[in-house]
Amino acid sequence: MPTIRPYDSRRCRIALFPLLAALAFAPLAMAQSTPQTQPSPPQPQQTPPTQQPDQIAPDAGGPTGDNGAIAVPKKKDKPDDTPPPAPAQPKCKNPEGAGDYSLRVDVPEVTVDVGVLLGKTGQFVPGLKPSNFKLYENGVKQKITGFMRVEAPITALMLAEFSNSNFTYSFLYDMRNAAWEFAQQLRPQDYVALMTFDMRTQIWLDFTQDKRQLLNAIQSLVIPGFSERNLFDALYEAEDRLSRIEGHKYIILIASGRDTFSKLTLDKIYQKVKTTPDITIFAVSTGGALRAMTEGGPGFNQQLRDIDYLQADNEMKTFAKMTGGMWFSPRFAGEMPDIFADVNKAIRSKYELVYHPSDAKQDGTYRKLRVELVDDEGKPLRFQDEKHKPLKYEIIARDGYRAKQEVE
């Protein structure tokens, strides 16, 4: 019968120690038993290919491709959102007990349109400089602060006498010819209206850019109603209507110049024409052919008629001169195209002078204007033709203007 012995841990550890030692030295024994092989000869070292200049990695870094590195821009630093410091307050002290005040000064500015035309041909003179102009206000020389040549569309009112008289056909024929020739000179951007007068005024056409409407309105002027010619009242109403329109305006006044029944006097209409700004009058007197045939005839009535027409010419000429316009007194229908060609040149081609008057008072007074042309040496400017013959010229500008009235 076998004997059962108790478990002894010490004996178990001693029995396992030789087995663990044999396993630990087994790889070493296998290595020693394996035959040694000769080492392989060293391989030549391969040098990396030289990097091309366009393949150099950029400072910003980034992926590389077939043609080199691809630059990736660096992110910019975020701008500083901190607002700049406020400017320092001015170091000024108001008197004790006084509050803060603001000062505003209105400096008046005057614009003068000036036309320079040769006296023989009526041709506009181009190429003038600011130094060629001298401008006087009430005899005091002014400093020109703005200068430019202007050629722009126009806004014009045709004011035509349409009355019945003993010589209706002659005057009506001249008026329609003049109106027709003026309509032919218009451009698509121009605005024009037609108003007639006898004892009263009548608006036949409001402002339009359609030249055909103006031609149709002129053709409708066939039979006048009254024999009175209230020129002063009609011109006053025309100036009053145009003064409500901004910008520069023109009145093409086609009339005999005689006034028979107006409520206004000559002095009052002169005052109205002088003081209304931004309106230029071009006056064309009618009945020249009839007057040429009857002037100087026998009889007292004929002499009175001649005096009346001389006075009428003087009035028409004064209206134009006061406003910087021109006056014409044709005797033949063939003169009309040349007349309105000159009007067209004078209207569209001009020099614009701007100045701040030395007398800055806004007292509502009338200021006289005078424009002169000088050369580089300050002497009166002279023109010559190809044969060195002197050429006369005409300066077309307003006689004056009325200063603004200060509002209390």
Side-chain angles (χ1 to χ4, degrees), residues 121-141:
T121 62
Q123 183 180 0
F124 176 77
V125 179
L128 297 180
K129 302 174 295 184
S131 58
N132 295 131
F133 290 86
K134 280 188 176 181
L135 181 61
Y136 297 88
E137 181 184 293
N138 287 341
V140 180
K141 184 180 178 180

Side-chain angles (χ1 to χ4, degrees), residues 20 44-45 109 123 193 232 236 267 288 296 358 369 375 381-382:
L20 294 175
Q45 187 177 1
E109 184 179 87
Q123 183 180 0
F232 301 162
Y236 189 98
D267 293 339
S358 56
L369 295 176
D375 55 18
L381 187 62
R382 301 182 183 277

Side-chain angles (χ1 to χ4, degrees), residues 159-202:
L159 181 60
E161 177 185 311
F162 186 55
S163 65
N164 190 2
S165 65
N166 296 332
F167 307 100
T168 300
Y169 177 78
S170 178
F171 288 91
L172 185 61
Y173 178 78
D174 289 347
M175 182 272 292
R176 293 185 62 181
N177 280 341
W180 186 273
E181 289 298 336
F182 174 73
Q184 299 300 325
Q185 302 288 339
L186 295 174
R187 299 180 182 178
Q189 296 81 12
D190 298 334
Y191 280 94
V192 63
L194 174 62
M195 185 169 73
T196 62
F197 69 93
D198 45 17
M199 187 176 68
R200 60 183 182 180
T201 60
Q202 183 175 354

